Amino acid sequence: MWRKAIGSMAVGTVCLAVIGGLASCGGGSTAEHVLHLPHVLNTDHPVHKALVKFADEVEERSEGEMVIKIHPGGTLGNEQELVDNVSNDTDAFTKVSTTILETKTDLAKIYSLPYLFRSSEHMWQVLKGEIGQELLNMAIDQNLKGICYFDAGARSFYTKKKVTGPKDLQGMKIRVQKSVMMQKLVESLGASPQQIAFSELYTALDSGVVAGAENNIPSYYTTQHYKVAPYYVFDEHVRIPDILVMSAKRWRGLTSEEQKIIEEAADVAVEYQRELWQKERRQQMKAMRKAGVTFTRPDKKPFIEATKSIYKQFEGEDVMDYVERIRKVKVEKGQADETKEE
Ligand code: GCU
């Protein structure tokens, strides 16, 4: 981690000068702003591809004045470190799972609540609407400006031994993200949560340090976790969107025209990603079936019942106000309002 931290610090330090327009940073670029965007996903992941689209759009629309350099694969740190680096203005951007922001604000816990969204359509109606836009800025006082959300589908368990219901998860060591919410969720199902960084999970699964994990299909596929944990059960316990965050200080350092370019480029990237997600997900499932992965569609009721207790701790808090508002959001006419995506 030392090495990674130093690498990240170096990137940020050089670029501090850039935001003031004093110098250019990275690869001899003549851009006014060179902004770094590290994240943990692999380059064949649809969210990474959308980030590339975002960077291309920004560069083109700004005629090369703004350059975004993407560092994939967790080479500059795990998600907690990457968020901290934006929060303390070392890096300009990162893309993380919203659950990671819970160390910065309690409001981030909303998106990690089990079975909160009725469907992908319901989630997007919320994210694109008033609530989602409000919550983009949930950690603004920590210097984290939310730029946009990306689809991260529904998360389900995958294991080395077949699981069909919570009864099979009893006592099983399951990897979770650095998130108290995810820890509680896994505990409520009787399993034993283990916090492990995303990039270290393949080895942990392979060596049996954990018996399983939980994630969406593209992450399961692009990490090749399916090769060492070939049972995937579609319990779809949570839909946690990904979020692109930017240092609020750097945002304020941009002209309104530059800010507009970033917002418009993000809109294009989100639309691109949502389409890509559906398409690639289908292809990936096909490939994994071929490779021998067993997909199970369980009765979700026992999962829903077991995880309900998580809501209790938020009674009378702001989080519950949001939950009530989210539940009232209706999907647009003609769209499905139940889980059918995965
Ligand atoms: C998803 C998400 C990542 C996150 C990962 C994880 O793949 O897109 O941002 O790091 O889950 O479980 O750690």
Side-chain angles (χ1 to χ4, degrees), residues 70-84:
I70 301 173
H71 306 269
T75 50
L76 294 186
N78 63 42
E79 290 203 332
Q80 185 64 61
E81 292 165 332
L82 297 183
V83 160
D84 289 345

Side-chain angles (χ1 to χ4, degrees), residues 11-12 14-15 25-26 34-38 67-71 76 86 90-94 250:
V11 160
V14 175
C15 291
C25 160
V34 179
L35 304 163
H36 291 263
L37 194 173
V67 171
I68 295 176
K69 293 218 181 274
I70 301 173
H71 306 269
L76 294 186
V86 177
T90 301
D91 286 332
F93 286 104
T94 189
R250 304 232 190 164

Side-chain angles (χ1 to χ4, degrees), residues 188-208:
S188 73
L189 289 161
S192 160
Q194 314 284 319
Q195 283 188 2
I196 295 175
F198 190 57
S199 53
E200 287 158 24
L201 181 51
Y202 183 96
T203 312
L205 283 165
D206 193 24
S207 62

Side-chain angles (χ1 to χ4, degrees), residues 307-325:
T307 54
K308 254 185 188 161
S309 56
I310 292 177
Y311 283 81
K312 282 206 191 106
Q313 62 178 298
F314 297 113
E315 268 165 26
E317 289 183 21
D318 287 354
V319 168
M320 264 338 258
D321 294 342
Y322 274 99
V323 169
E324 273 155 37
R325 281 172 70 196

Side-chain angles (χ1 to χ4, degrees), residues 58-322:
V58 167
E59 192 162 344
E60 199 184 311
R61 287 164 191 252
S62 69
E63 293 173 354
E65 295 253 304
M66 278 193 282
V67 171
I68 295 176
K69 293 218 181 274
I70 301 173
H71 306 269
T75 50
L76 294 186
N78 63 42
E79 290 203 332
Q80 185 64 61
E81 292 165 332
L82 297 183
V83 160
D84 289 345
N85 284 347
V86 177
S87 185
N88 65 28
D89 201 38
T90 301
D91 286 332
F93 286 104
T94 189
K95 188 298 303 165
V96 290
S97 172
T98 45
T99 202
I100 298 299
L101 298 186
E102 72 171 38
T103 56
K104 306 291 177 197
T105 166
D106 269 357
L107 290 180
K109 295 180 176 170
I110 296 166
Y111 291 134
S112 310
L113 284 165
Y115 299 102
L116 172 68
F117 296 116
R118 296 186 296 273
S119 61
S120 173
E121 288 80 1
H122 178 219
M123 180 186 77
W124 275 107
Q125 198 76 26
V126 170
L127 297 182
K128 291 254 168 188
E130 200 182 63
I131 305 171
Q133 296 311 298
E134 243 169 75
L135 289 176
L136 269 180
N137 280 333
M138 59 186 151
I140 197 81
D141 63 351
Q142 303 285 318
N143 195 43
L144 297 168
K145 178 174 172 59
I147 301 293
C148 65
Y149 299 103
F150 289 113
D151 206 336
R155 296 177 77 99
S156 292
F157 290 101
Y158 55 90
T159 43
K160 292 170 83 74
K161 282 193 189 146
K162 191 168 177 176
V163 164
T164 58
K167 62 176 186 335
D168 303 318
L169 285 168
Q170 301 312 300
M172 227 185 220
K173 283 189 180 164
I174 298 288
R175 176 269 173 172
V176 290
Q177 293 160 279
K178 192 169 182 311
S179 154
V180 173
M181 285 298 284
M182 292 312 288
Q183 200 170 312
K184 286 197 174 147
L185 192 150
V186 163
E187 270 165 7
S188 73
L189 289 161
S192 160
Q194 314 284 319
Q195 283 188 2
I196 295 175
F198 190 57
S199 53
E200 287 158 24
L201 181 51
Y202 183 96
T203 312
L205 283 165
D206 193 24
S207 62
V209 167
V210 285
E214 45 79 57
N215 219 317
N216 53 54
I217 290 290
S219 296
Y220 180 48
Y221 179 76
T222 55
T223 50
Q224 310 213 356
H225 291 172
Y226 70 92
K227 293 189 175 160
V228 283
Y231 295 95
Y232 192 98
V233 57
F234 281 105
D235 62 280
E236 301 177 314
H237 47 267
V238 77
R239 282 179 189 276
I240 307 179
D242 277 0
I243 187 166
L244 175 64
V245 287
M246 184 178 184
S247 153
K249 196 171 163 200
R250 304 232 190 164
W251 172 261
R252 289 193 300 269
L254 300 175
T255 64
S256 57
E257 217 172 285
E258 288 164 341
Q259 292 177 347
K260 198 164 161 244
I261 287 174
I262 289 196
E263 281 171 343
E264 287 174 353
D267 286 345
V268 173
V270 171
E271 287 316 307
Y272 171 75
Q273 189 258 340
R274 287 182 65 189
E275 270 178 38
L276 201 63
W277 184 270
Q278 296 300 344
K279 196 173 116 214
E280 296 202 341
R281 223 190 116 262
R282 277 194 293 273
Q283 292 165 350
Q284 292 166 349
M285 279 191 63
K286 216 170 150 192
M288 287 193 281
R289 270 205 187 94
K290 237 179 160 177
V293 172
T294 304
F295 292 101
T296 310
R297 294 200 176 263
D299 176 7
K300 284 195 202 163
K301 274 192 217 111
F303 288 95
I304 297 172
E305 279 307 311
T307 54
K308 254 185 188 161
S309 56
I310 292 177
Y311 283 81
K312 282 206 191 106
Q313 62 178 298
F314 297 113
E315 268 165 26
E317 289 183 21
D318 287 354
V319 168
M320 264 338 258
D321 294 342
Y322 274 99

